[in-house]
């Protein structure tokens, strides 16, 4: 039995997990917040704070006996270095949205979403390093003039652990979120760096999934590392046929695919993963914020809203909520608002509005899943993440509305686990005990709730038009009921926003 460690450098702090190389069992772990930020989502931070929090998280012998370390970090952060390897300013983090104007300018300069889809598979956003470089050039020209190299947060930490060698590295997963590396070609677009900053700079070497970055002065193997999304996918053990739906205020949907998708509309972002495959990603602007808004309107909390929703019936007596409360990205309706349709005297009850909120949120996410299916991505199982996945109404409704098996894994440090799994993979290839083809087969998703739409009981209540005798208290129903709820939602969406998905 060997030991490997995974380090997750998130926006708030550093998590360290130590795992058994053979089984993935978590043996020890630690956590420490970053000092010097401006709260939960800082826009910039001195990278030295990452080293300090790592030291705190690893106190008490957490890393004792470890043979290899994997590092993941928040995607899209920018660490700019001068010719001597010193940071020219604090790191610009994922949550920094100051580069919105610069992202919009870059988008137009390359011919819009289609041009960027051809170039790197993703249109520039304020969070992306390519937009941050343009912002730096325009707002801090003195600092920009000193930039000789750029790195991502996980790249910088790996470089520090290795003793700041001349060789700087990254991986294809994190590189795919820069705006100047293409997951389709596996190559940088240095011309886009020059377009953003005004000149070329040194970029890290992109390593293969199992390729080690090097060894520390003490002899510890350091793997390539990756971005936090890619590490979480590796920690969850998702593979071809799997999609992950993450429920936050907004939602994200990604799936494992064998090739990079090219979407000229810019709706799908073509990220790479940490195994040599690809992670097409879509963002949904309204997820749990839809539930919170409905709960506030009804004077309850999320648990109360869930209880109310389960007292209604599938289709919410014909009540349909299009949950575009803050505009929407999937479909591309940035300036729209939400819509509540189907109001009748019999549907104007708290439980039906609660049901419509859950169905609307889940149907919006199912729309995103259908975009991926329409582009040839196979989805046989959905992994549902986030605290809202624990709500009984989400668990009851999701399988039938998504039309597939849904699993809800227990809370865990999946990004750190993925980093540790990568470390075990890299160590195994060096020692000759594992191949480079696939990561080690750690038992995944232990304790996971498995929700099968075929197991749901068909309701004996009213039809989708609200007619019929009906009894309250039904769950999600089976696949046919879920399909009917989707069709009701789609009919209202097409009437309100005709052709919203036509280009996709």
């Amino acid at each position: 039995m060997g030991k490997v460690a995974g380090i997750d450098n998130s926006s708030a702090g550093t998590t360290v997990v130590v795992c058994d190389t053979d089984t993935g069992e978590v043996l020890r772990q630690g956590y420490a917040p970053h000092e010097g930020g401006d709260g939960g989502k800082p826009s910039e931070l001195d990278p030295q704070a990452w080293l300090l929090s790592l030291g705190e998280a690893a106190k008490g012998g957490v890393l004792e006996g470890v043979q290899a370390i994997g590092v993941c970090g928040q995607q899209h952060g920018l660490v700019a270095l001068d010719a001597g390897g010193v940071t020219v300013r604090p790191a610009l983090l994922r949550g920094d949205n100051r580069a919105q104007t610069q992202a919009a300018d870059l988008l137009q300069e390359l011919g819009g979403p289609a041009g960027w889809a051809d170039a790197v598979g993703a249109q520039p956003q304020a969070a992306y390093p390519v937009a941050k470089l343009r912002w730096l050039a325009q707002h801090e020209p003195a600092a920009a003039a000193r930039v000789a190299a750029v790195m991502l947060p996980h790249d910088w930490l790996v470089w520090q652990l290795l003793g700041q060698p001349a060789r700087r590295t990254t991986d294809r997963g994190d590189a795919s979120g820069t705006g100047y590396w293409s997951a389709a070609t596996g190559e940088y677009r240095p011309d886009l760096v020059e377009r953003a900053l005004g000149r070329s700079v040194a970029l890290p070497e992109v390593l293969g999934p199992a390729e080690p970055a090097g060894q520390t002065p003490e002899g510890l193997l350091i793997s390539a590392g990756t971005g936090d999304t890619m590490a979480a996918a590796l920690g969850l053990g998702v593979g071809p046929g799997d999609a992950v739906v993450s429920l936050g205020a907004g939602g994200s949907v990604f799936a494992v695919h064998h090739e990079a998708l090219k979407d000229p509309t810019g709706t799908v972002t073509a990220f790479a993963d940490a195994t040599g495959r690809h992670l097409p990603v879509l963002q949904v602007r309204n997820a749990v914020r839809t539930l919170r808004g409905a709960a506030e309107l009804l004077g309850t909390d999320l648990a109360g809203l869930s209880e109310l929703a389960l007292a209604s019936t599938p289709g919410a007596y014909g009540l349909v909520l299009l949950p575009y409360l803050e505009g929407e990205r999937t479909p591309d309706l940035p300036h729209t608002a939400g819509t509540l349709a189907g109001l009748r005297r019999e549907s104007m009850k708290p439980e039906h509005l609660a049901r419509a909120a859950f169905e609307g949120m889940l149907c919006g996410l199912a729309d995103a899943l259908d975009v991926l299916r329409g582009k040839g991505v196979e989805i046989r199982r959905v992994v549902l993440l986030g605290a809202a996945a624990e709500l009984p109404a989400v668990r009851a409704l999701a399988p039938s509305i998504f039309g597939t098996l849904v699993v809800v894994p227990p809370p865990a440090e999946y990004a750190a686990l993925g980093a540790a799994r990568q470390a075990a993979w890299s160590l195994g290839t060096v020692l000759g005990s594992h191949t480079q083809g696939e990561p080690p087969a750690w038992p995944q998703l232990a304790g996971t709730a498995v929700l099968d739409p075929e197991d749901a009981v068909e309701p004996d209540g009213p039809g989708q038009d609200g007619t019929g005798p009906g009894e309250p208290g039904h769950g999600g129903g089976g696949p046919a009921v879920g399909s009917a709820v989707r069709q009701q939602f789609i009919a209202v969406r097409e009437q309100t926003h005709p052709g919203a998905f036509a280009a996709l």
Side-chain angles (χ1 to χ4, degrees), residues 380-382 395-407 450-458 476-483:
R380 299 190 303 270
R381 181 178 72 160
V382 169
R395 294 191 174 207
L397 275 59
S400 59
I401 290 177
F402 290 165
T404 190
L405 189 75
V406 173
V407 297
V450 180
L451 313 173
D452 191 336
E454 296 292 344
D455 294 337
V457 178
E458 293 285 349
V481 171
S483 178

Side-chain angles (χ1 to χ4, degrees), residues 39 59 75 85 89 92 97-98 139-140 159 167 182 190 200 222 245 315 318 330 345 362 371 377 386 408 414 461 463:
K59 272 187 174 180
Q75 286 181 264
R89 70 172 324 282
L92 294 167
N97 291 315
R98 286 176 286 185
H139 290 268
E140 298 180 1
W159 187 56
R167 179 192 188 215
S182 169
S200 62
I222 307 295
V245 174
T330 307
R345 178 64 188 88
L362 293 170
V371 171
V377 179
V408 184
Y414 288 108

Side-chain angles (χ1 to χ4, degrees), residues 353-447:
L353 177 57
R355 182 80 177 213
F358 278 96
E359 290 180 345
M361 177 192 75
L362 293 170
C363 283
L365 293 162
D367 280 347
L369 290 168
D370 281 351
V371 171
L372 292 177
R373 290 187 177 106
K375 294 185 177 297
V377 179
E378 183 181 18
I379 298 175
R380 299 190 303 270
R381 181 178 72 160
V382 169
V383 179
L384 198 56
L385 302 179
E390 302 294 329
L391 293 172
V394 170
R395 294 191 174 207
L397 275 59
S400 59
I401 290 177
F402 290 165
T404 190
L405 189 75
V406 173
V407 297
V408 184
E413 299 292 346
Y414 288 108
L417 286 170
R421 191 178 179 207
Q422 186 196 65
W425 189 11
S426 188
L427 178 65
T429 60
V430 169
L431 297 178
S433 60
H434 201 82
T435 68
Q436 294 189 10
E438 293 288 340
W442 286 359
Q444 303 298 325
L445 307 184

